[in-house]
Amino acid sequence: AMRDWFLRFSDGSPLVVIVDDLHAIDEPSAATLALLSHDARERRVLVVAAIDTAKSQTANAALKLFLEQSDALDLSPLTKEEADELFRSIFGDGPDVGLVAHRLHEISGGNPRDLMELAQHLVDRKTIRYERGAWSVPGSIDAGDLPGNMAQALEVRAAGLSKAAHDAACALSLCPGQAVTADELGRLVDDGSATSAQIVDELLRKHVLRASGDRLSISQEGWASALQKNLTDEGRRAHHGKLARLFEER
């Protein structure tokens, strides 16, 4: 039904369907995309999707079909000039935006996701501020405000999470590729200081989790080492116990 609706719409106007994080898609949705992309060559339909190629090896059958009939385009890292343009589109055309963009480009290697993570890091530390309706970007950045690499940036952000949010995310990071509901995520935490909704809200705002429908999963693999940095053997066993009970009850 959804495929037919897309095709009917394209009869009256060209249609572009954009899908991010394709590797996290559920199989029914992947099947719809596969069928739609099959028809796209003869209709006014363009399907554009972004996928983490490291995770495409474990794709379901429908997603593999979509990938087989699609044209692949590897994305190159952003140049310094492109990073500068990206940051000016976010923080405005101030005199110091270019300096910050170039510093962050050196650390991220031009990876767009990492550039945005580093920008969020500076906003969280209030190095970059939003004041009186405009962004304020400093002319210089202290060494202590900027991590040496992406791993350090994620560690700093993980350390800034509330205990409940950190515990929930840490537990989930121990089972890569798994997704849970908001209620299930809350059951991974003993601390009663926050509700499931509050935990989910914090982890989504901090980009630790990503949502696909009603399912939540760790947004990127780099979070695992950051969240587990100070995890003791006892804490690991406790998290594994909660995960085992959770999956057993499904």
Side-chain angles (χ1 to χ4, degrees):
M2 181 62 72
R3 167 206 178 195
D4 293 339
W5 183 88
F6 279 129
L7 294 177
R8 286 197 302 271
F9 185 93
S10 70
D11 288 337
S13 177
L15 174 66
V16 178
V17 179
I18 300 176
V19 183
D20 197 11
D21 290 335
L22 184 64
H23 48 272
I25 196 171
D26 60 87
E27 189 158 9
S29 298
T32 299
L33 280 181
L35 292 171
L36 185 61
S37 63
H38 179 268
D39 297 322
R41 298 184 186 278
E42 299 179 359
R43 308 292 283 267
R44 295 190 297 174
V45 178
L46 174 65
V47 181
V48 181
I51 188 170
D52 185 339
T53 53
K55 299 178 181 178
S56 63
Q57 303 303 317
T58 59
N60 57 55
L63 180 51
K64 287 181 179 178
L65 177 61
F66 173 81
L67 296 174
E68 288 170 359
Q69 58 191 18
S70 301
D71 296 320
L73 176 64
D74 292 330
L75 298 181
S76 301
L78 298 181
T79 64
K80 285 187 177 181
E81 292 72 24
E82 290 168 336
D84 183 282
E85 184 178 351
L86 171 64
F87 273 61
R88 291 186 187 281
S89 72
I90 300 171
F91 298 116
D93 201 27
D96 300 312
V97 173
L99 172 65
V100 173
H102 289 177
R103 288 284 303 277
L104 300 191
H105 183 274
E106 292 174 357
I107 297 173
S108 67
N111 182 296
R113 180 191 64 192
D114 292 347
L115 275 167
M116 297 305 296
E117 292 282 2
L118 288 168
Q120 184 64 52
H121 170 82
L122 293 178
V123 171
D124 290 344
R125 291 181 67 88
K126 301 189 184 305
T127 303
I128 296 177
R129 300 171 181 267
Y130 190 75
E131 300 175 326
R132 293 188 290 275
W135 288 102
S136 175
V137 179
S140 62
I141 301 177
D142 294 336
D145 288 332
L146 202 57
N149 52 52
M150 287 307 303
Q152 290 181 10
L154 293 180
E155 287 174 5
V156 170
R157 293 178 61 192
L161 295 172
S162 67
K163 184 179 184 307
H166 189 285
D167 285 351
C170 183
L172 188 56
S173 74
L174 292 170
C175 49
Q178 290 291 332
V180 297
T181 65
D183 179 65
E184 289 174 333
L185 189 72
R187 290 163 59 189
L188 297 176
V189 181
D190 291 329
D191 185 353
S193 61
T195 65
S196 296
Q198 290 171 326
I199 293 171
V200 170
D201 178 67
E202 179 178 355
L203 293 175
L204 287 176
R205 281 189 293 103
K206 298 297 180 64
H207 306 293
V208 180
L209 296 183
R210 65 163 169 253
S212 179
D214 66 344
R215 297 283 169 168
L216 303 160
S217 58
I218 299 296
S219 63
Q220 61 164 296
E221 293 179 0
W223 277 113
S225 58
L227 292 164
Q228 299 170 29
K229 181 179 180 181
N230 297 314
L231 184 62
T232 64
D233 289 341
E234 181 181 0
R236 186 180 299 272
R237 286 193 296 270
H239 284 320
H240 277 303
K242 294 171 189 173
L243 289 166
R245 289 191 293 273
L246 178 66
F247 295 135
E248 184 179 14
E249 293 171 4
R250 278 186 170 180

